[in-house]
Every structure is written in structure tokens, then in C-alpha cells.
Amino acid sequence: MEGLLILNFVLLAVIAFGLWLSKKFIKSEKTENLLFIISAVFTVLCHYSSLLYHHFLDGSALQYLKHNPNLILPIYPCNVVMWSCVAYAFIKNKQSKIGQYLCDYIFWFGIISTLVGMFANVDFIRNPTLANFDVTKGIVSHATLLFNVLLLAVFKRVKINVKRNIINIIIAIVEMLIVGLYCNLVFYVLVSKDMAYEVNSMFLIHSPFAGLNFLTYPVIALIAIPLYFALFVVCDLFAHKKGERFFDRLFKR
């Protein structure tokens, strides 16, 4: 566990330095968008690097793929965040409703899912060693994804608008529910009921936490919505002056 903490703090320091360099030297929107593309694509390559590693190590890439369904379908929230980063990077009008939605989703969901993936990494918990390429790669790829996520704040793409933010979060929760249902159904139909249970996309079938069987995705979502709303209201206090805040505008109507 000590090794995991040291690695993560080193990665956080590297991320902070990278964000500082980005803020200091990147001044044009065109270059910002180019960095979004580079970092999003790099994260995807890092995510799939295990396939190359196992291919050249012993030719077991196909076998590895069978045992890692998140390389086939986006079964975890961080997988959806990763592909959303790619979509956001390549979308032309980032100020459109789709662009704003992706920005809200990537930033507010991405921070939580990436930090969980770094500090409570499932692969590391199962095999607590950093000598294993797949384990270390999993932690590093979450760190590169976190860099993607935080770029949105560095380049001031994250806007506090309580109504828009909470609506986009609710849409994102429904979206991930649909993704989870789809992934579980694919494995249920094409492989087996047991495989679908093991995949447990978006934690819809059973809780990821031992001893907390009730804490499946719907319950987590119902807890998350008011917490996100409270977070947005607090951020609104700092982002806007008195009279321009969410509740000020709400009560004026």
C-alpha cells in the first residue's frame, strides 16, 4: 500500500507540473484543443497498451482481452469518461450543448472516478504489487485521464451554472445506466449469466463494496444527485457575486 501511495503522489506531482506548463505556455484556443486531442488519444493508447505488452511478451494478448472486458466495452464509469474525453477533444463547437454536457460530465464525474482508480485501484487490491505491468499501467492510465479532466479547469472550460450542471449530471447518470444495462446484456446474451454477473457493468447487478450489498448503482446515483447539487451551490457562492447566484435568480422570478 505504501508503494501505491508513493506512486500516486509522484503521478499527482507530474500532473500538477504538466498543468502548470500548459497554463503558462499555451495561450491560443487552437493549441488548447490540440492538447485535448493529444492527451485524450494518449490515455486511450495507455489503456490498451497491455495488449501490445502481452502480445510481445508471450503472444497472450487475446487471452488477456478475454479476461479484461473493460477493453471490449466501457463497463466502468472511468471508461465512459475516457471515451467522452476523446469525443470532447474532437468536437468542433465546444460551446454547443453537447460540448457543455461533455465538459460537465468529464469534469465532475472524472475527478471522482480517476482518483478512485488511482488510490483504490481494483487490480492493485487483487494483486498488490507495482512489479506487474498491468497493475501499474492501470494506475498510470487513470492518472493520464485525470490530466485530461483537469485541463478543462486549467483552460477555464468549466463553468458554474447550477441549473445546467445538475441537469447534465442527471443526464449523465441516466446515460451510464443505459451503458451499464447494454454492457451487462451483451455479456449475458453472448457469453453467460455468470459472465454478466462478474462484469457487473456500472455496478448494476451487485455492490462493489463488501458488506454493503444495498449499494448498487441506483442507490449510489440517488445519493450522488443531492451531493452534486450541494457542491454546485457551494461553488456558485465563489463563482458569482451576490445577486447573481442560483438562489438569487431563482427567488427573483
Side-chain angles (χ1 to χ4, degrees), residues 95-114:
Q95 299 305 318
S96 65
K97 286 188 177 180
I98 293 176
Q100 291 177 345
Y101 163 72
L102 286 172
C103 183
D104 282 345
Y105 171 70
I106 291 167
F107 186 75
W108 298 108
F109 268 96
I111 289 177
I112 295 173
S113 61
T114 52

Side-chain angles (χ1 to χ4, degrees), residues 38-251:
I38 292 170
S39 57
V41 171
F42 181 79
T43 299
V44 172
L45 293 176
C46 187
H47 180 59
Y48 284 96
S49 63
S50 284
L51 293 178
L52 281 176
Y53 173 80
H54 286 283
H55 173 74
F56 289 110
L57 181 69
D58 53 13
S60 63
L62 220 61
Q63 192 66 22
Y64 178 80
L65 188 62
K66 289 179 183 177
H67 293 287
N68 290 272
N70 65 316
L71 295 175
I72 303 171
L73 289 173
I75 67 174
Y76 299 125
C78 53
N79 298 143
V80 182
V81 173
M82 180 185 73
W83 290 114
S84 296
C85 283
V86 175
Y88 182 82
F90 283 98
I91 194 172
K92 287 186 178 179
N93 184 6
K94 291 181 171 56
Q95 299 305 318
S96 65
K97 286 188 177 180
I98 293 176
Q100 291 177 345
Y101 163 72
L102 286 172
C103 183
D104 282 345
Y105 171 70
I106 291 167
F107 186 75
W108 298 108
F109 268 96
I111 289 177
I112 295 173
S113 61
T114 52
L115 287 175
V116 169
M118 289 173 69
F119 286 91
N121 188 272
V122 174
D123 292 330
F124 183 85
I125 291 171
R126 291 173 180 168
N127 183 20
T129 174
L130 296 176
N132 182 284
F133 177 85
D134 300 315
V135 172
T136 303
K137 181 273 306 181
I139 297 165
V140 172
S141 63
H142 279 92
T144 63
L145 184 57
L146 180 60
F147 178 78
N148 278 255
V149 171
L150 295 178
L151 275 179
L152 294 170
V154 167
F155 293 146
K156 297 182 180 178
R157 305 296 179 95
V158 181
K159 307 295 182 186
I160 299 299
N161 180 318
V162 176
K163 182 180 177 182
R164 189 199 84 190
N165 296 150
I166 197 64
I167 287 173
N168 283 341
I169 286 298
I170 292 170
I171 292 171
I173 285 172
V174 174
E175 176 197 351
M176 289 198 295
L177 172 65
I178 293 170
V179 170
L181 288 170
Y182 172 77
C183 292
N184 287 331
L185 183 62
V186 167
F187 285 104
Y188 182 89
V189 172
L190 297 182
V191 186
S192 68
K193 181 179 178 180
D194 291 339
M195 185 63 180
Y197 183 86
E198 184 181 338
V199 167
N200 189 29
S201 181
M202 299 301 162
F203 316 119
L204 285 171
I205 300 175
H206 57 88
S207 171
F209 307 106
L212 298 172
N213 297 332
F214 69 95
L215 210 54
T216 55
Y217 182 81
V219 176
I220 295 171
L222 288 174
I223 295 171
I225 291 172
L227 290 178
Y228 270 115
F229 180 74
L231 174 62
F232 296 147
V233 169
V234 171
C235 291
D236 190 48
L237 294 175
F238 294 96
H240 300 107
K241 298 185 215 175
K242 190 175 181 181
E244 299 176 357
R245 294 164 182 158
F246 172 71
F247 283 113
D248 295 328
R249 295 193 304 272
L250 190 66
F251 291 137

